[in-house]
Each structure stands twice: as C-alpha cells, then as structure tokens.
Amino acid sequence: MPSLLIYGSYGFVGSLIAEKAIDRGLDPVLAGRDREQLREQVDEVGQPGRRFSLEDPDIVAEALEDVDCVLNCAGPFSNTADPLVEGCLESGTEYVDITGEIPVIESIRDRDDEAVDAGVTLLPAAALSTVPMDCLAAHLADRLPEATDLALGVDSFRVPSVGTVRTVIEGADDGGAIRRDGDLEDVPTAWRTREIDFGRGERPAVTMPMGDVSTAHYTTGIPNVEMYAVMPQPARTALKFHRVLAPVLSAPPVQWTLKLLAGVREGPSERARERGSAYIWGEASTDDGERVVSRLRTPDPYVVTTDAAVTVAERVLAGDAGDGFQTPAGAFGPEFVFELEGVEGFFDESTPDGTSPVSPLLQ
Ligand SMILES: NC(=O)c1ccc[n+]([C@@H]2O[C@H](COP(=O)([O-])OP(=O)(O)OC[C@H]3O[C@@H](n4cnc5c(N)ncnc54)[C@H](OP(=O)(O)O)[C@@H]3O)[C@@H](O)[C@H]2O)c1
C-alpha cells in the first residue's frame, strides 16, 4: 500500500485526522517535531512515528524519502508549508494540507511549475475551507459559465480550536482580502457586510480572508471573488475594532499573550462535533444581471475537515490528482464534496432562464 505520513499528527485536528486515516486502513506514519507528544500518540494508537522538525531542508527531504504522500496538519501553515513542500519536491512526495491561509495557498501555487517537473501533486486546503466552497464554486460556474463575480459564504460559527485561534492571531496583521479582476486585493477586516440567506432566513455575514478567495478563483477562473462568514454581533464588532487594533494586535508581546490565552482550551468536544453543522451558500453573477444561487449543508466544520483531508489524501495516493498545484474541485470535480459523509445539496435556487425552485433547506 502507498505510504501516508501525517505531519502535526498530535495536534487537535491532526489527531482526529490520524484516527480517521487509521480507521480507513491507510496505516499512516505519525510525525511531528515534539518527541514527548509524538511518543504518547504512537503508544496510544500503535502506529509508527517519525520525529523531525522543519528547520533543515535536508532532514525534511530525507524523512520523506520513502513516503508517497504527506498530509500536513501543522498550523499556522505560514511556518510549516514551505519546508514540507520543499521536502516533497526534493523527494518526489505528494503534498496535501488543511491550510485556510491565503498567502500559503498562493505560495504553493507559485511552485506549480516545479511540482509538474517533479511529477508531484500539491493540494493545499483539503478542509472545510476549502472543499465544500470550492465544489460549490465549480458547480455555480457550470451553471453560469459566463459569470464574472462569485460570492461564497459559510454559516458555521462555533468555538474554534486553539490551533485555529493561533492561526487567526498569527494572520491578524494581514487584514482582509478579496479577489478583483483576478488579483488579490487587501481590504480591511470585515470590509463588507451582506445579509445572506443560507437556507434558513437572512443572516448578516462579513467578508473574511479565507483560503476560498484563492482556490475558488483558480478552480473556476471567475475574476472577482468574495468570501463571507456569519459572525454573531460581538464578533462583528470585534472584527471592526480590529481595523483600529491591528497594529496593536500584531505587536510581539500582545501576540505572545493572546497565544497563551488561546492555549486555555483545546477544541470543540466530540459531542459538540457530532451536533454541529455548516451551511454553505454561493452566488455567481454576470455584469448584465444574470444570477444563480446554490447551497450545501454539511456536518460540523471539524468533522468535514477531518473527512475532507483523509479523502483527499486517499484520492491523491490513488493517483487521481494531476501533477502540480491543484484545488479540490479542480482535481476531482464539483461532485467530490458528496464523497464526504453527510453532505447534502446542491440546492439550486434559481436558473439562468429565471425558474426559481424553493431551496429544500427551507422546506
Ligand atoms: N482550512 C480549514 O478549514 C481548517 C479547519 C480546521 C483547522 N485548520 C487549521 O489547522 C491548523 C491546526 O489546527 P489544530 O486545532 O490542530 O491546532 P493545534 O492543536 O495547535 O495543532 C497544531 C500542530 O501543528 C504543530 N506545529 C505548529 N507549528 C509548527 C512548526 N513550526 N513546526 C512543526 N510543527 C508545528 C504543533 O506541534 P507542536 O505542539 O510541536 O508545536 C501541533 O502538532 C490550524 O492552523 C487551523 O487554523 C484549518
């Protein structure tokens, strides 16, 4: 069987992913930089472990020499994707990760030519952000091929894991981002608010710099992309204040304290994950007023992320993705999202010829 190495396997999401990969018979090698945490996990689950850190490129390439695919779960990915991608290109290993960070996805895409030459797949963002949104984007582009604008949204607000909080803090000084005329454009955090009907009435959502701003554009070629997320009022207010607070938040002592505070709680409990869900919305439109809307409903974000990461790794190991930089729907098509357990849709609200079936989510 081709071999899978899970880097960051003892983190909160990494351990959920490792558990699922074992359940699916992938027999993964567990890996990370911390000897104690890795040993504890290896003893608990009975899989082989490999300890290495990412500072020395030669050590990384050597550690991946006999590995067919790396699944990187070690975030913030701004610190880990680059050395692991480098190691993969050198050792001829496929690369998958669960980042939602736009600069990381962009820098992986910049290595497309090298990856094609090396015969290696680079498939970042195999997670809630971006698998469902990417597949929805591809579906919308199929419905309205001449679309010039794409808006995507997710309604899944829940208490995040510590690692997600750390990643958000790490990127706090970057502000927001949208895509305009094919290029990334910096905008303030929570730059635009929109009332969006995710299938259960309108809710206020704000623009967020999620990885979908990158992937949906590369999958569909649509030049203008905005990504929205539903936020409760206190979070929306905090995000608005963040525009003023950004320089303060990004100061090293403040980041250090925030990271310590974030360390208080690990992540959502099993019970919370079982009960959670996410509502995904997308709208494609043209300059002359054509508009199509579709929706998806998924299980809890952490359940989707776990399933998406392992399913993508399985497909990559099976040789189903092409060489070079890939997006989830670009590699496997819009229907790929239905390979994930419990995903429902596509719920299409209107068609270019004007018919408007009611969304089943509303029934
Ligand atoms: N795209 C999405 O939809 C999505 C969904 C869920 C999570 N995520 C992202 O996934 C990441 C992990 O989340 P989590 O909750 O699992 O976080 P976590 O519990 O803090 O785990 C992070 C893991 O990464 C490792 N790590 C961090 N920095 C490293 C470095 N420089 N070198 C080597 N290892 C490093 C940690 O190892 P040490 O303990 O040794 O530091 C740990 O194993 C976060 O960035 C989060 O934002 C994305």
Side-chain angles (χ1 to χ4, degrees), residues 67-351:
V67 172
D68 294 304
C69 179
V70 164
L71 174 44
N72 180 15
C73 306
F77 295 88
S78 46
N79 301 326
T80 64
D82 199 38
L84 279 166
V85 165
E86 183 68 43
C88 284
L89 292 175
E90 217 167 296
S91 59
T93 304
E94 322 280 16
Y95 176 89
V96 175
D97 73 28
I98 59 163
T99 189
E101 298 160 55
I102 294 171
V104 172
I105 297 169
E106 293 293 321
S107 72
I108 292 175
R109 184 174 185 271
D110 287 346
R111 310 202 71 169
D112 180 48
D113 287 349
E114 285 173 83
V116 169
D117 289 348
V120 158
T121 300
L122 303 178
L123 203 160
L128 177 82
S129 174
T130 65
V131 172
M133 271 76 85
D134 200 42
C135 291
L136 188 66
H139 174 70
L140 287 162
D142 285 348
R143 291 184 67 202
L144 190 58
E146 55 285 358
T148 51
D149 291 78
L150 182 65
L152 298 165
V154 57
D155 176 4
S156 72
F157 192 80
R158 52 140 48 263
V159 177
S161 71
V162 173
T164 301
V165 174
R166 276 204 197 100
T167 302
V168 170
I169 292 168
E170 199 93 359
D173 48 340
D174 291 343
I178 59 163
R179 194 169 286 275
R180 204 191 309 257
D181 297 330
D183 293 325
L184 281 176
E185 186 172 300
D186 293 337
V187 291
T189 313
W191 169 65
R192 184 174 272 173
T193 303
R194 220 183 130 161
E195 294 290 329
I196 294 177
D197 180 0
F198 287 85
R200 34 181 201 166
E202 287 194 338
R203 303 197 62 191
V206 294
T207 44
M208 290 294 285
M210 291 168 67
D212 311 273
V213 172
S214 285
T215 45
H217 168 69
Y218 294 126
T219 296
T220 63
I222 296 176
N224 302 305
V225 181
E226 290 177 7
M227 177 68 207
Y228 290 83
V230 169
M231 292 280 156
Q233 183 57 50
R236 288 207 306 279
T237 308
L239 282 170
K240 298 261 183 213
F241 271 118
H242 171 264
R243 292 178 194 178
V244 184
L245 289 176
V248 182
L249 276 174
S250 59
V254 180
Q255 290 246 345
W256 186 76
T257 313
L258 286 171
K259 284 179 195 181
L260 273 183
L261 287 174
V264 171
R265 198 171 179 284
E266 203 190 30
S269 66
E270 188 174 352
R271 190 172 144 76
R273 295 197 304 274
E274 277 166 7
R275 292 154 59 114
S277 58
Y279 292 78
I280 316 288
W281 165 94
E283 172 197 80
S285 55
T286 62
D287 288 340
D288 48 18
E290 276 190 276
R291 176 180 177 269
V292 292
V293 168
S294 298
R295 299 179 178 86
L296 282 170
R297 182 167 50 201
T298 78
D300 178 83
Y302 285 88
V303 172
V304 173
T305 293
T306 304
D307 199 356
V310 175
T311 308
V312 166
E314 279 176 329
R315 294 286 300 266
V316 168
L317 281 167
D320 295 346
D323 294 340
F325 170 82
Q326 301 287 337
T327 60
F332 310 126
E335 303 289 322
F336 172 63
V337 70
F338 302 117
E339 289 182 29
L340 310 185
E341 217 172 295
V343 175
E344 296 169 60
F346 295 112
F347 302 117
D348 296 335
E349 186 184 288
S350 58
T351 60

Side-chain angles (χ1 to χ4, degrees), residues 4 7 76:
L4 175 69
Y7 195 83

